[in-house]
Amino acid sequence: MVRERIAILTVAYNIKLQTRNEPLLQLTLYIIGGIVVLSILAYLLQEKFIFKPEKLKQDFVYKYDAPFEELFFDVEPGVRINGLHFKVENPLGLILYFHGNSRSIKGWAKYARDFYRYNYDVVLVDYRGFGKSTGKRNEKAMLNDMQFVYNSLLTRFPEHHLIVYGRSLGSGFACKIASENKPRYLILDAPYFSFKKTIERFLPILPVKYVLRYHLRTDKWIKHVNCHTYILHGTRDWLIPISNSEKLQALNPRMITLIRIQGGGHNNLTSFPEYHNFVRDILQY
């Protein structure tokens, strides 16, 4: 009889406890469900957040004051990478410039003057889906495209002639190319240490590790870069804080020089005279 009463009281208590905790349980389920839905959307739509391309018609005509040649790199059927080659007489070298995640080389070309003014040729290329470049995007294919571009340039220029420059998102591509080749220098402009951790800053509630399809392991590839690396980073960069570059330099301080642009943000380094002075010194070294 005592056992039966205890059993009845236990069941009653559990029912009461369950009823009391039901709102909390429902809230927990709603939160978990919301995270699952957001994760699925992030997985399917992440390219729209990572890449902000400007698309150009194939018959678009580039116009600039400096001498240039339009380039096309036919990687494979259906994949054509568009580029611009700004030329000077008797160049001291050639800058292969990987731009950030927005616009196209139509707009990024204005930065070519920061290099050809010091008697360097400059080649800028658009990633798949940017500008006139074609092809379906994925990390492996995009990295292969950039290696194809590099190999194509090697048929026209000696490798010690090449300097690889990566800006923001482009720092990952630049680092990968430099890690598997032997350019004269690698220059990184506002790079990230870990692309995954950069995304996690803005999506802290999502399981980014499992959702993200682009990892661009700058932190991994920079360990295999054999040429000297110069990093330029603004001290007030809120998008990719300078701590990212400090971590990169710590991986190989003997081969990596970190140049701090005091007061510089993420998109305004070229407005600082110090930036141009450092670029000049690097290119004339």
Side-chain angles (χ1 to χ4, degrees), residues 54-62 64 68-75 79-85 96-99 104-106 123-135 145-146 148-149:
E54 171 191 29
K55 296 186 178 182
L56 303 175
K57 295 182 179 180
Q58 294 300 315
D59 61 355
F60 177 83
V61 178
Y62 296 104
Y64 303 101
F68 74 95
E69 173 189 4
E70 185 174 5
L71 304 176
F72 289 98
F73 302 91
D74 293 308
V75 181
V79 179
R80 199 177 207 197
I81 301 302
N82 184 223
L84 294 174
H85 181 185
L96 175 56
Y97 189 106
F98 296 115
H99 64 69
S104 71
I105 53 175
K106 171 178 169 282
V123 169
L124 304 96
V125 290
D126 266 332
Y127 314 118
R128 296 185 181 204
F130 284 72
K132 297 183 183 182
S133 291
T134 61
D145 293 344
M146 299 306 106
F148 185 94
V149 170

Side-chain angles (χ1 to χ4, degrees), residues 7-156:
I8 293 172
L9 289 173
T10 300
V11 170
Y13 177 78
N14 286 337
I15 292 174
K16 184 177 181 181
L17 183 64
Q18 184 176 353
T19 303
R20 183 181 300 173
N21 291 336
E22 188 173 336
L24 179 60
L25 178 61
Q26 289 180 341
L27 178 61
T28 302
L29 292 175
Y30 286 143
I31 292 174
I32 293 175
I35 292 175
V36 170
V37 171
L38 288 175
S39 297
I40 294 173
L41 290 175
Y43 182 83
L44 297 174
L45 303 176
Q46 61 188 267
E47 289 197 7
K48 294 185 180 296
F49 298 100
I50 296 174
F51 303 109
K52 303 292 184 181
E54 171 191 29
K55 296 186 178 182
L56 303 175
K57 295 182 179 180
Q58 294 300 315
D59 61 355
F60 177 83
V61 178
Y62 296 104
K63 295 180 180 180
Y64 303 101
D65 295 333
F68 74 95
E69 173 189 4
E70 185 174 5
L71 304 176
F72 289 98
F73 302 91
D74 293 308
V75 181
E76 59 186 56
V79 179
R80 199 177 207 197
I81 301 302
N82 184 223
L84 294 174
H85 181 185
F86 289 86
K87 300 180 176 182
V88 298
E89 293 186 13
N90 302 315
L92 297 175
L94 181 143
I95 310 289
L96 175 56
Y97 189 106
F98 296 115
H99 64 69
N101 74 326
S102 64
R103 297 176 290 169
S104 71
I105 53 175
K106 171 178 169 282
W108 287 98
K110 66 182 180 181
Y111 297 110
R113 70 170 69 97
D114 296 336
F115 308 103
Y116 64 62
R117 66 191 288 192
Y118 300 117
N119 208 39
Y120 276 77
D121 277 12
V122 184
V123 169
L124 304 96
V125 290
D126 266 332
Y127 314 118
R128 296 185 181 204
F130 284 72
K132 297 183 183 182
S133 291
T134 61
K136 186 176 180 180
R137 277 192 296 266
N138 65 68
E139 181 174 336
K140 182 179 179 180
M142 293 171 74
L143 291 170
N144 287 341
D145 293 344
M146 299 306 106
Q147 183 62 55
F148 185 94
V149 170
Y150 190 89
N151 291 343
S152 299
L153 294 177
L154 288 180
T155 65
R156 303 169 61 182

Side-chain angles (χ1 to χ4, degrees), residues 175 188 191-198 200-201 218-223 229 231 233 240-260:
C175 206
L188 302 179
Y192 42 82
F193 178 81
S194 167
F195 191 65
K196 178 177 74 70
K197 291 186 180 300
T198 298
E200 285 176 341
R201 287 183 59 230
T218 306
D219 58 324
K220 175 183 176 181
W221 298 328
I222 202 167
K223 298 176 184 178
T229 300
I231 301 178
H233 212 130
I240 303 179
I242 194 171
S243 58
N244 285 261
S245 288
E246 293 170 343
K247 290 178 182 178
L248 287 174
Q249 185 194 33
L251 295 176
N252 192 353
R254 186 178 65 86
M255 293 292 290
I256 302 174
T257 299
L258 172 57
I259 299 167
R260 295 172 172 83

Side-chain angles (χ1 to χ4, degrees), residues 200-212:
E200 285 176 341
R201 287 183 59 230
F202 299 97
L203 299 172
I205 66 171
L206 298 186
V208 173
K209 178 180 179 180
Y210 303 101
V211 172
L212 192 64

